[in-house]
Amino acid sequence: AQTVTQSQPEMSVQEAETVTLSCTYDTSENNYYLFWYKQPPSRQMILVIRQEAYKQQNATENRFSVNFQKAAKSFSLKISDSQLGDTAMYFCAFTFMDSNYQLIWGAGTKLIIKP
Amino acid sequence: DSGVTQTPKHLITATGQRVTLRCSPRSGDLSVYWYQQSLDQGLQFLIQYYNGEERAKGNILERFSAQQFPDLHSELNLSSLELGDSALYFCASSLRGGANTGELFFGEGSRLTVL
C-alpha cells in the first residue's frame, strides 16, 4: 500500500529559527512527485515545494528546502528564518507519474512559530 | 488566489438532508478533484473528473455523487447526510488528468456542518 507518514503531529519554534519537518513514504514505484503543502488558518491549501523523484538535486524555494533521500524514502522540509506567517498545518504528499493521478497525503504536522 | 472557486464557503444543515457543493476550476484546467478533510485529519480523496468524465474514484460513499459539466465546473452532491459528514470539502484542479507537473490548485473549501 502507498502511504505517507508524518511522525510529528505538532512542532513549535521561535521566530527566525530553522525547523525541519519529517516525512517518510512507502511506494514500490520509481517515478513520482513529492510535495509539501501548507494549510494556514485561512484553510487554503498552498503548494510550498515540489520534488521530482528522478531528480537528485534537492528542491529549494526561497526559505524552504527539502532533503530528499530516495533510497530511504524520506522527504523532509526545512524552513529557514521562520516567520510568524509560516504558522500552519504542513502536509506531505506524493503522486505517481501515470495516467491515474491522485495525491496520497500524510496526516500533517501543525507548526507554530512563536514571536 | 489559486483561481479555483468553491461555493458555498459555509453550510449548516440537518441530518438526512441533501446539499450540493460547487467548484469552478482554474481557467484552462480540465481536471477536477474532490477531497474531504475531517477535523484534524489529512485529506481523503473522493473523486476525480477529467474533461467531463470520471477518471478516478477514492473513498467516496454511495450517498455522495459528483459530476463535471461541459463548462468544466463540478458539483459534489451529498445526500442522506449524517453527523460524520461534517467536514471541509476541497475542490482542486489541474491542467491535465495524467502525468504533468503534479501540482494541484486548491479552492478555499466548503465547510459543511451537519447538526
Side-chain angles (χ1 to χ4, degrees):
Chain A
Q2 330 287 351
T3 58
V4 177
T5 302
Q6 294 180 247
S7 59
Q8 306 148 313
E10 185 169 328
M11 297 182 71
S12 66
V13 297
Q14 294 294 136
E15 192 177 8
E17 288 184 348
T18 294
V19 59
T20 299
L21 309 183
S22 66
C23 172
T24 59
Y25 58 95
D26 187 22
T27 180
S28 57
E29 298 289 329
N30 196 44
N31 295 317
Y32 46 88
Y33 295 106
L34 292 152
F35 307 88
W36 279 97
Y37 277 87
K38 167 184 176 180
Q39 187 179 32
S42 66
R43 315 182 310 189
Q44 181 100 38
M45 294 291 287
I46 303 165
L47 177 67
V48 175
I49 201 164
R50 175 180 64 238
Q51 173 82 41
E52 291 88 343
Y54 61 85
K55 289 187 178 179
Q56 293 186 336
Q57 186 174 5
N58 289 323
T60 62
E61 286 288 342
N62 301 312
R63 297 182 296 107
F64 298 88
S65 61
V66 298
N67 182 4
F68 173 48
Q69 298 182 20
K70 191 172 183 179
K73 296 180 183 175
S74 172
F75 184 61
S76 61
L77 174 70
K78 185 171 85 171
I79 306 174
S80 303
D81 186 25
S82 58
Q83 301 175 359
L84 296 179
D86 296 332
T87 293
M89 283 289 289
Y90 286 82
F91 293 95
C92 178
F94 79 95
T95 187
F96 306 115
M97 298 180 185
D98 65 12
S99 62
N100 214 11
Y101 173 96
Q102 294 179 42
L103 278 171
I104 300 167
W105 297 82
T109 295
K110 184 175 183 180
L111 176 64
I112 299 169
I113 308 300
K114 297 179 288 187
Chain B
D1 183 4
S2 67
V4 178
T5 303
Q6 287 188 249
T7 57
K9 284 187 168 48
H10 300 275
L11 191 56
I12 301 174
T13 189
T15 55
Q17 295 298 305
R18 172 189 169 95
V19 299
T20 297
L21 310 180
R22 182 187 169 101
C23 170
S24 294
R26 282 190 329 157
S27 177
D29 283 359
L30 301 177
S31 230
V32 169
Y33 309 77
W34 286 99
Y35 287 88
Q36 179 192 56
Q37 185 182 31
S38 300
L39 188 62
D40 295 332
Q41 303 271 325
L43 277 73
Q44 293 293 321
F45 170 69
L46 296 179
I47 198 163
Q48 177 202 355
Y49 281 84
Y50 175 71
N51 205 20
E53 295 191 3
E54 183 182 305
R55 192 66 175 262
K57 189 176 277 191
N59 299 320
I60 187 167
L61 300 172
E62 287 190 7
R63 300 183 286 107
F64 296 0
S65 65
Q67 55 184 323
Q68 186 180 29
F69 295 87
D71 66 354
L72 301 177
H73 90 273
S74 178
E75 293 181 357
L76 178 67
N77 301 297
L78 315 175
S79 61
S80 302
L81 286 168
E82 301 175 359
L83 296 178
D85 298 327
S86 294
L88 189 55
Y89 291 85
F90 280 107
C91 170
S93 72
S94 67
L95 178 59
R96 293 185 290 274
N100 51 22
T101 62
E103 181 172 356
L104 296 187
F105 297 87
F106 284 82
E108 293 184 353
S110 292
R111 168 73 69 187
L112 172 66
T113 302
V114 182
L115 301 175

